[in-house]
Amino acid sequence: MEEIFSLISTYGFPMVLSIYLLVRFEPLIKELKESIDTLIMINDNDQNFKH
């Protein structure tokens, strides 16, 4: 806990918060990207099938 307070006092709250959020949301962003890629592939296959 002391390390967190030291980081906040040294680097500032916005930087520490940004790093924390990046670490927390990175797996979610990767999963979202994979889902979007899958939807794009499905859409491309569907369009090819109609032609």
Side-chain angles (χ1 to χ4, degrees):
M1 197 64 157
E2 250 180 67
E3 287 182 25
I4 293 174
F5 290 131
S6 175
L7 285 173
I8 290 172
S9 66
T10 304
Y11 296 107
F13 180 74
M15 183 178 277
V16 173
L17 182 63
S18 298
I19 292 169
Y20 172 77
L21 290 175
L22 179 62
V23 169
R24 282 286 291 189
F25 287 117
E26 183 180 12
L28 297 174
I29 292 170
K30 286 182 179 180
E31 187 176 326
L32 180 61
K33 182 192 177 308
E34 290 173 1
S35 297
I36 291 171
D37 290 342
T38 302
L39 286 172
I40 289 171
M41 286 176 30
I42 291 171
N43 188 33
D44 286 346
N45 287 338
D46 188 45
Q47 286 180 359
N48 289 337
F49 182 72
K50 288 181 181 178
H51 291 282

